[in-house]
Amino acid sequence: MRSWVLNFRFHHFKIGIFYAEIGVSSIYNRVFFYAAISGNNDLFTIKMYHGGQLSEDFYVGGNEDFFDYCDKDFMSLLEVDNIVEELGYGNIFMSYQYRFLGMEIRNGLKPLMTDSDVINMCKFVPNHTLIDVYIEKITPEECVSQK
């Protein structure tokens, strides 16, 4: 069994239980276990891919960071922007896309450009407690064309 040690970042942590863990076999089990203990099925983890580029089938290069205990009732595009800023991409034009575990990058990516997109993403929690979010640097011209 492979275990990971991860940094925890808490976003909208509304349950007064402290939960820490040193090694886990999977992200899904960690969030599911916490939701079961706290009785809160509104929590999920964002696995943020950043610093790389999307290809047709893969995210090439870059890093992965996990943002645990995100609450679907408080999630918004502003919250996603805050996460991206925390990663050091404050004054850069970025494109956001997401997918659920098991979906292919080629046809499973969905844009994350508005609060409505975030609400649609969160509709699938608690069935999906791990959501992959991909960010890419874009030019100002690309930013205008996306709108």
Side-chain angles (χ1 to χ4, degrees), residues 8-19:
F8 294 115
R9 294 176 181 93
F10 300 98
H11 291 274
H12 296 296
F13 187 16
K14 69 181 186 180
I15 302 298
I17 296 173
F18 178 74
Y19 170 68

Side-chain angles (χ1 to χ4, degrees), residues 9 47-54 59-67 77-96 133-138 143:
R9 294 176 181 93
K47 182 178 183 181
M48 185 75 71
Y49 293 84
H50 61 97
Q53 292 287 8
L54 277 166
Y59 192 80
V60 180
N63 302 302
E64 301 170 2
D65 280 285
F66 294 88
F67 294 85
L77 190 60
L78 180 60
E79 187 68 23
V80 176
D81 288 338
N82 290 339
I83 291 171
V84 171
E85 190 172 320
E86 188 177 322
L87 291 170
Y89 302 99
N91 295 322
I92 302 171
F93 289 101
M94 303 297 288
S95 169
Y96 308 158
V133 176
Y134 299 86
I135 62 173
E136 290 184 293
K137 294 178 187 177
I138 57 174
C143 183

Side-chain angles (χ1 to χ4, degrees), residues 27 33 35 59 67 120 139:
I27 296 302
F33 178 73
Y59 192 80
F67 294 85
N120 286 332
T139 65

Side-chain angles (χ1 to χ4, degrees), residues 28-134:
Y28 177 81
N29 289 338
R30 179 175 69 227
V31 174
F32 180 76
F33 178 73
Y34 177 78
I37 287 200
S38 69
N40 189 343
N41 290 329
D42 296 337
L43 301 178
F44 65 98
T45 293
I46 291 177
K47 182 178 183 181
M48 185 75 71
Y49 293 84
H50 61 97
Q53 292 287 8
L54 277 166
S55 70
E56 196 168 309
D57 295 320
F58 301 100
Y59 192 80
V60 180
N63 302 302
E64 301 170 2
D65 280 285
F66 294 88
F67 294 85
D68 298 312
Y69 311 112
C70 298
D71 190 318
K72 75 175 191 174
D73 294 330
F74 293 100
M75 188 55 60
S76 67
L77 190 60
L78 180 60
E79 187 68 23
V80 176
D81 288 338
N82 290 339
I83 291 171
V84 171
E85 190 172 320
E86 188 177 322
L87 291 170
Y89 302 99
N91 295 322
I92 302 171
F93 289 101
M94 303 297 288
S95 169
Y96 308 158
Q97 298 179 71
Y98 73 94
R99 75 174 175 132
F100 296 111
L101 193 62
M103 300 292 294
E104 294 179 3
I105 287 180
R106 182 179 306 180
N107 54 11
L109 284 176
K110 301 190 183 312
L112 200 53
M113 296 171 39
T114 65
D115 279 329
S116 179
D117 294 335
V118 175
I119 290 168
N120 286 332
M121 175 183 78
C122 291
K123 283 181 183 176
F124 296 96
V125 174
N127 292 337
H128 294 277
T129 57
L130 176 64
I131 300 175
D132 293 339
V133 176
Y134 299 86

